[in-house]
Amino acid sequence: MSLFPESQNTSNETIRPQFWSRFALSELNHSEWEALCDGCGSCCLIKYIDEDEHGDVDEELVEYTDVTCQLMDCATGYCQHYDTRQEHVPDCIQLTMENLPQMMWLPSHCAYKRLYKGQDLPSWHLLLTRNAVVTQQQMRAANIGVAGRCVSEVGMSDEEMEERVVNWVNP
């Protein structure tokens, strides 16, 4: 079950039934961890994040732009090289259990953030609907995802990016 047809998950790990509600995030195997991603692409958007002197982020002050990483296919909303993204973009963020607490700037619908905070998965999540088409339709209806409304960072200046702050992503 995947929203990412181009992803080459070569892991033979089994996804345990309802793992998201039965196990702590730290107990998930790689396949289960990856299955939590809803494919919205919001984490790939360029964002402005202010940290205080302790490195803490006030998630309410995070500003997202509609500008994405060079690897994003803005038509589909999927990374063109997800499995090898860090070879192409070395500073691409790889979400892990270890760095998740410092990433509360993730959107409020993000399964990783929600589970970390003790919340349920959104009702449209693929793990609940078990139907990629239904999930994508419900995500669009909920105004979730970058597909069809983002632009690539390629050739864009920092000044141009600053003019592209959007309010359709809620941290």
Side-chain angles (χ1 to χ4, degrees):
M1 176 171 44
S2 175
L3 284 173
F4 314 105
E6 62 283 339
S7 181
Q8 301 296 318
N9 184 0
T10 56
S11 173
N12 289 329
E13 297 170 315
T14 332
I15 294 183
R16 298 169 287 186
Q18 296 193 336
F19 67 86
W20 61 92
S21 62
R22 297 176 45 230
F23 301 98
L25 286 170
S26 60
E27 298 174 311
L28 303 184
N29 65 44
H30 179 74
S31 294
E32 291 166 340
W33 182 265
E34 290 293 318
L36 289 176
C37 180
D38 62 19
C40 76
S42 297
C43 57
C44 301
L45 292 171
I46 306 295
K47 52 204 108 5
Y48 298 104
I49 302 173
D50 288 328
E51 296 179 352
D52 66 18
E53 64 275 1
H54 306 292
D56 296 324
V57 174
D58 181 348
E59 59 191 77
E60 300 300 319
L61 299 179
V62 174
E63 293 182 303
Y64 282 81
T65 69
D66 65 352
V67 182
T68 64
C69 163
Q70 62 185 323
L71 297 180
M72 178 64 70
D73 178 334
C74 287
T76 66
Y78 297 132
C79 180
Q80 296 175 68
H81 299 286
Y82 180 76
D83 291 331
T84 59
R85 66 193 183 279
Q86 289 173 313
E87 293 172 23
H88 301 276
V89 180
D91 63 345
C92 176
I93 296 170
Q94 181 162 359
L95 182 61
T96 64
M97 186 57 221
E98 291 72 36
N99 65 14
L100 179 59
Q102 288 77 49
M103 298 178 72
M104 290 299 105
W105 48 260
L106 288 164
S108 59
H109 66 268
C110 176
Y112 300 101
K113 179 178 179 176
R114 292 179 66 84
L115 293 176
Y116 179 80
K117 289 183 155 194
Q119 301 169 343
D120 293 330
L121 293 177
S123 61
W124 44 259
H125 198 284
L126 180 62
L127 291 168
L128 299 176
T129 68
R130 306 194 58 80
N131 183 313
V133 172
V134 168
T135 290
Q136 290 170 340
Q137 289 171 342
Q138 290 181 3
M139 285 176 69
R140 275 194 293 280
N143 204 26
I144 305 292
V146 303
R149 57 182 177 173
C150 62
V151 296
S152 174
E153 69 180 336
V154 175
M156 190 168 298
S157 70
D158 290 342
E159 293 77 23
E160 289 173 302
M161 282 187 219
E162 290 174 12
E163 300 296 317
R164 301 195 65 99
V165 171
V166 296
N167 62 8
W168 44 262
V169 180
N170 299 311

